[in-house]
Amino acid sequence: NGWRVTYNEPLNGTIIFIRRTDNRGVVNVLGNGWLVDKNRVNRLVRAEVKLNEKVINFYRLRRREPTDQPLLSVADYHFPNKKMKE
């Protein structure tokens, strides 16, 4: 096992969430509501939180076209700077 937690290092990498927009086109990710597309209500989206780039990219998901996942919107996101403990 070559993996270990480093509590003093800044977070990096990508976190992926699959969410459904509400009746206003808003999706809830990491405790915040983000407007993805007011015309995409009650639809699935993939949210990629890019910790290094400090953004969340939102992509369309469709069962009929699983390989077609265009970018819908981008939001600025800064992960809270909280001290972690062992």
Side-chain angles (χ1 to χ4, degrees), residues 15-54:
I15 306 170
I16 298 175
F17 296 92
I18 305 297
R19 295 287 188 263
R20 186 174 297 278
T21 60
D22 65 10
N23 60 356
R24 298 170 294 146
V26 174
V27 68
N28 191 333
V29 176
L30 294 170
N32 295 304
W34 307 91
L35 177 61
V36 174
D37 184 343
K38 64 181 179 180
N39 298 317
R40 274 195 71 73
V41 298
N42 301 315
R43 301 294 185 138
L44 285 176
V45 296
R46 182 179 84 240
E48 290 187 357
V49 181
K50 305 242 179 210
L51 296 170
N52 298 4
E53 299 170 32
K54 299 182 173 139

